[in-house]
Amino acid sequence: MSDQPDTIRDEVVVTLEYTLLVDGEVLDSSRDSEPIQFIQGQGHIVPGLEKELYGMTVRETRMVVVPPAEGYGEIDPDSFVIVNRSEFPAEVSLETGIPLQVQSSDGDVFEARIASVEGDEVRLDLNHELAGKELHFDVEVVSLRQATPEEIAHGHIHDHQHGHGDSE
Ligand code: ZN
C-alpha cells in the first residue's frame, strides 16, 4: 500500500534531472553529478521553474523558459560600485569579467565581477551573475514521493543515509 503521489504538487519530494542553458550554453547539469531533490512549493528552486513543474509526472520531460524576473532577477543598476584600484591586493588582476569576493566595511562578503576598469576606477557588478538572463531548463522528473510531516516542518529533505541528527 502506498499513497505515493503521481504528479508534482506542494509537499511532494521531487527528484529532478535538469540542464540549465543560458544564451545557448550549458551552464550546469545534474547529468554531470546526480539529480537534485527538493520539496515542491517551498521555494528551494527558482520560482519560474517551480511554477512550471506542477502537474508533471514521473519520466515526463519539459523545456521550461524562465524570464529574468522569475529567475535571478533583473539587473539592478544600483548594484554597481566603484572602487579605487589601490584598494585591491597587487596580485589581483583587474580585468573585465574577473570574479571577486569583496568585503564591505561591516564585514559582509559579496560575490562580484569586474564590470569595467577605467584608470584607477574599478567598477564592480554586485548583481547575481545570472541576473537579467533568461534561463532555459531542460528537466526530467525522476521520482516523486510524499514529504514526511517532519520534512515539511523542517523545510528540507531527510535522506536515510545522511540524516542530520536532530530528527532521526
Ligand atoms: Zn531536519
Side-chain angles (χ1 to χ4, degrees):
M1 49 167 278
S2 126
D3 62 348
Q4 291 308 303
D6 52 18
T7 62
I8 296 179
R9 49 183 164 69
D10 286 340
E11 302 185 345
V12 165
V13 175
V14 181
T15 303
L16 191 77
E17 293 278 15
Y18 75 95
T19 298
L20 169 60
L21 295 102
V22 173
D23 298 334
E25 268 184 62
V26 174
L27 283 201
D28 189 18
S29 179
S30 64
R31 310 245 179 215
D32 298 332
S33 51
E34 54 184 276
I36 53 166
Q37 277 199 317
F38 56 90
I39 304 173
Q40 175 76 4
Q42 298 204 341
H44 295 310
I45 59 173
V46 298
L49 176 59
E50 182 168 61
K51 186 176 89 171
E52 293 298 322
L53 296 180
Y54 284 103
M56 286 185 73
T57 56
V58 173
R59 291 298 152 205
E60 189 175 347
T61 60
R62 194 172 284 181
M63 171 61 96
V64 178
V65 178
V66 176
E70 294 178 355
Y72 291 93
E74 304 287 356
I75 292 173
D76 177 359
D78 294 332
S79 290
F80 290 85
V81 292
I82 291 177
V83 179
N84 193 281
R85 183 184 280 275
S86 63
E87 304 279 320
F88 293 90
E91 68 273 17
V92 174
S93 79
L94 299 176
E95 287 167 34
T96 301
I98 301 264
L100 296 168
Q101 284 196 332
V102 291
Q103 197 166 12
S104 70
S105 49
D106 44 9
D108 293 328
V109 175
F110 299 92
E111 300 287 335
R113 287 170 313 290
I114 297 178
S116 60
V117 183
E118 276 180 53
D120 284 340
E121 291 191 339
V122 180
R123 189 161 169 265
L124 296 181
D125 180 357
L126 303 180
N127 286 285
H128 189 284
E129 62 180 335
L130 293 179
K133 298 288 188 183
E134 186 176 79
L135 314 174
H136 292 241
F137 288 98
D138 206 341
V139 299
E140 178 179 4
V141 180
V142 177
S143 64
L144 302 174
R145 70 170 170 82
Q146 187 61 46
T148 65
E150 208 173 28
E151 286 175 321
I152 293 164
H154 288 206
H156 58 233
I157 290 159
H158 294 161
D159 84 47
H160 293 293
Q161 281 116 37
H162 311 100
H164 65 85
D166 65 75
S167 58
E168 291 179 348

